[in-house]
Amino acid sequence: MLILTAGQVRQVLDGAEQQVVEAVSRAYRLHAAGRTVLPHSLFLRFPEEARNRIIALPAYLGNPGGSGAREPVAGVKWISSFPGNLDAGLERASAVIVLNSMRTGHPEVLLEGSVISARRTAASAALAAATLAPREPQTGVTLIGCGVINFEVLTFLRALLPELAEVTLFDLDPARARDFAERCATLLPGLRTTVTERIGDALAAHRLISVATTAATPHLDPSPCPPGTLLLHLSLRDLAPETILSSVNIVDDDDHVCRESTSLHLAEQQAGHRDFIADSIGALLTGARRERDPEALTVFSPFGLGVLDLAVADLVRHRAQEQGLGTDVPDFLPFGHGS
C-alpha cells in the first residue's frame, strides 16, 4: 500500500493545473462515451446534525484505448462535510481516496482526498467556463462564498482564462472575504480584487460567477446578474426551482445531479420532468459545441462525479511515484505483498 499525505498530494498538484484539467476532461469524455461505471453516491446523514454528512463515491474509470493510454482505475472517495468546523478553525471537508488494483482488486494506494476533491471541483468549473466561453474575453469573475473551493476555482480560472484580471468577492462573513482578498494579493498577484457587502452588487459585477457555499436550501436571487451570465453552481442548492426552470442548464450527469434535494432535484419535482436540462459537459467536450445564450442565465451544476476523483488521484499516484514520494507499507494487507 502506497500512502500519500495531504502535503505530498499538494506538492504533486501545485502548478499542475493544466494536467488536472486534462485529467478531468478525459474523465468527462470517457463518461460521455459510456466507459465508466458510476453508482450513485451514498450519503450518510445524522439525525441530530442535519448540516453534517459523509459521502461515499465509488467509481470505475475505463481506458479509451490507443497508445500511451492510462490503465483503467477503480476506487472510492469517502468525504465528510462538517460546516461547523469552520467556526473552530478547522477545514470543513476531509477525505480519503482508495485506489484498487484492477488485476487483484487489492487496495494499493491510500491518498488524502480533500485536496484532490477541491481541485477536481475547481478544474471542472474552470473547464465549463472555458467550454462555455462567450465571444468576448472574460476579464472578471464573481465569487460567492470565500472558502477553499472558490480559491481553487480562481486559481484554475486564471490558468484557463489568462485574460482574467478582476475578482469580486462576497461572503456572509465579511472577515472571511477580506482574508480571501489578502490571500489573493499574496498568491495571485495582478488581480484587482473587490470585496462587496451586498450580494446583489457582487452578482451584477461580472458575467462569470462561481457559487460555493454551505447552503442547504435555495437562497440566491439571480435577478441582478447581467444578461448572458454563466453561473457555476458548485454548491448545488443555492438556486430556487423557478430559477433553474428559466435557465439554460448544463450538468455533469442528469441522473446524479437530480438527487439529494439539489436545486435541480427540486426543479424536477416541481416540473415533473428533466427537460429543463439542456446538455452535459461531457457531450459538449465530445463535439456538441454550444454557444452561450447572450441573454439567458446559463447554470452549470456539477454533482461531482467519482470518476473525476479517480482521474486526479491516478494522476497524483503516477507523479508521486516519479518523484519518489509517499510511504510504502508492504505488509498493509494480511496476505502476500503483490497487487
Side-chain angles (χ1 to χ4, degrees):
M1 173 75 79
L2 177 66
I3 299 176
L4 293 164
T5 66
Q8 291 164 337
V9 171
R10 191 173 286 108
Q11 179 179 340
V12 164
L13 291 181
D14 281 351
E17 287 81 15
Q18 293 290 348
Q19 293 92 329
V20 173
V21 170
E22 289 168 7
V24 166
S25 178
R26 170 178 166 269
Y28 274 143
R29 286 183 274 112
L30 285 171
H31 185 59
R35 303 297 297 274
T36 65
V37 179
L38 200 64
H40 280 309
S41 304
L42 176 65
F43 282 68
L44 177 62
R45 300 186 185 277
F46 310 100
E48 297 180 0
E49 297 289 345
R51 296 176 66 201
N52 297 338
R53 63 184 187 268
I54 310 178
I55 312 171
L57 291 84
Y60 164 81
L61 184 64
N63 187 328
S67 61
R70 282 275 169 85
E71 291 297 314
V73 59
V76 63
K77 179 174 74 172
W78 180 239
I79 182 166
S80 68
S81 175
F82 279 52
N85 284 353
L86 297 173
D87 296 331
L90 302 173
E91 297 292 344
R92 175 187 61 83
S94 59
V96 294
I97 297 173
V98 177
L99 300 182
N100 293 74
S101 166
M102 287 303 300
R103 184 170 63 84
T104 66
H106 293 179
E108 55 184 9
V109 187
L110 176 69
L111 309 94
E112 196 285 328
S114 67
V115 176
I116 290 171
S117 187
R119 297 198 184 185
R120 65 84 152 141
T121 301
S124 169
L127 183 61
T131 303
L132 294 162
R135 295 181 184 276
E136 65 277 9
Q138 299 183 110
T139 59
V141 62
T142 288
L143 305 180
I144 306 297
C146 295
V148 171
I149 297 297
N150 259 342
F151 193 85
E152 296 291 357
V153 168
L154 185 57
T155 301
F156 276 82
L157 286 173
R158 288 258 288 181
L160 266 64
L161 305 174
E163 65 275 10
L164 200 70
E166 292 184 68
V167 57
T168 299
L169 307 174
F170 175 82
D171 195 284
L172 289 175
D173 181 350
R176 278 169 59 84
R178 291 192 296 270
D179 290 345
F180 192 103
E182 291 176 5
R183 192 177 178 204
C184 288
T186 302
L187 299 178
L188 299 172
L191 276 175
R192 295 192 299 276
T193 304
T194 302
V195 176
T196 63
E197 296 183 357
R198 298 194 307 172
I199 193 169
D201 294 338
L203 294 172
H206 307 289
R207 293 204 301 151
L208 178 61
I209 299 170
S210 177
V211 182
T213 74
T214 58
T217 55
H219 64 96
L220 196 63
D221 173 14
S223 59
C225 294
T229 290
L230 172 62
L231 193 150
L232 306 170
H233 185 211
L234 306 182
S235 35
L236 292 175
R237 296 169 178 83
D238 305 85
L239 300 176
E242 293 77 13
T243 299
I244 295 295
L245 294 172
S246 64
S247 301
V248 177
N249 292 285
I250 310 297
V251 301
D252 50 7
D253 183 291
D254 59 352
D255 198 38
H256 282 258
V257 80
C258 290
R259 298 180 65 231
E260 295 292 332
S261 298
T262 66
S263 295
L264 282 86
H265 188 197
L266 299 179
E268 179 189 31
Q269 291 175 327
Q270 180 170 308
H273 58 74
R274 297 178 182 174
D275 295 346
F276 54 86
I277 296 177
D279 230 325
S280 73
I281 185 67
L284 298 181
L285 291 169
T286 53
R289 190 75 182 179
R290 170 183 288 271
E291 295 288 338
R292 191 196 299 181
D293 190 315
E295 297 299 326
L297 176 67
T298 298
V299 178
F300 175 58
S301 299
F303 191 73
L305 306 181
V307 291
L308 306 186
D309 298 292
L310 293 193
V312 178
D314 194 44
L315 173 68
V316 170
R317 178 239 299 260
H318 284 92
R319 289 173 65 94
Q321 288 173 330
E322 291 169 359
Q323 297 176 30
L325 297 175
T327 301
D328 190 23
V329 184
D331 59 349
F332 183 86
L333 297 173
F335 44 86
H337 303 321
S339 61

